[in-house]
């Protein structure tokens, strides 16, 4: 059974940083491109970042470019999202997504972790 378990969310002030983690199990993690997506209150699902199987290629949304970094550790079956210079508009539930950007809207996701950026 595929399991994706996110952690690392919380309340942070504007300008602060958080690192999200996603522990993956139930499939061969190293064989899959992975993504992060988010959903803010009253808004639809938004793609945030993706990474290829080996981690050599990453892409991020324009809204987070220069502030967020996606990475992975295939030995630990873990996906990461380093978030710096957080802004109130980054407030959302963040989900680990099994699959590439092209299918982000229907990829299997974890339960999510809440990120709240507020002073």
């Amino acid at each position: 059974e595929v399991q994706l378990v996110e952690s690392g969310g919380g309340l942070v002030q504007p300008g602060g940083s958080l690192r999200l983690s996603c522990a993956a199990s139930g499939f061969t993690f190293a064989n899959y491109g992975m993504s992060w997506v988010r959903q803010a209150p009253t808004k639809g699902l938004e793609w945030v970042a993706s990474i290829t199987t080996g981690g050599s290629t990453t892409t991020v949304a324009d809204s987070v470019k220069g502030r967020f970094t996606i990475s992975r550790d295939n030995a630990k079956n873990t996906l990461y999202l380093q978030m710096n210079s957080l802004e109130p508009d980054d407030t959302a539930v963040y989900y680990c997504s099994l699959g590439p950007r092209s299918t982000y809207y229907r990829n299997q996701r974890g339960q999510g972790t809440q990120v709240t950026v507020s002073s």
Side-chain angles (χ1 to χ4, degrees):
E1 177 189 3
V2 170
Q3 285 198 324
L4 302 167
V5 180
E6 301 92 338
S7 61
L11 173 64
V12 63
Q13 292 186 340
S17 298
L18 285 173
R19 188 174 86 151
L20 306 183
S21 299
C22 170
S25 62
F27 65 103
T28 305
F29 180 71
N31 289 353
Y32 288 84
M34 296 293 294
S35 301
W36 286 98
V37 297
R38 67 185 181 184
Q39 187 160 21
T42 73
K43 294 186 178 180
L45 196 65
E46 178 187 11
W47 170 76
V48 175
S50 294
I51 188 167
T52 51
T53 54
S56 60
T57 302
T58 63
T59 53
V60 297
D62 287 344
S63 59
V64 304
K65 193 166 291 182
R67 301 187 297 119
F68 289 14
T69 303
I70 186 172
S71 62
R72 66 192 296 164
D73 186 336
N74 286 344
K76 295 183 178 179
N77 290 346
T78 303
L79 179 72
Y80 301 101
L81 185 68
Q82 178 66 45
M83 305 187 296
N84 299 329
S85 302
L86 283 160
E87 304 169 353
D89 283 350
D90 295 319
T91 295
V93 178
Y94 284 72
Y95 299 93
C96 175
S97 172
L98 200 176
R101 173 185 183 181
S102 59
T103 56
Y104 81 92
Y105 52 91
R106 57 181 173 86
N107 291 345
Q108 184 167 352
R109 303 191 295 267
Q111 85 290 346
T113 186
Q114 176 70 47
V115 171
T116 302
V117 184
S118 175
S119 55

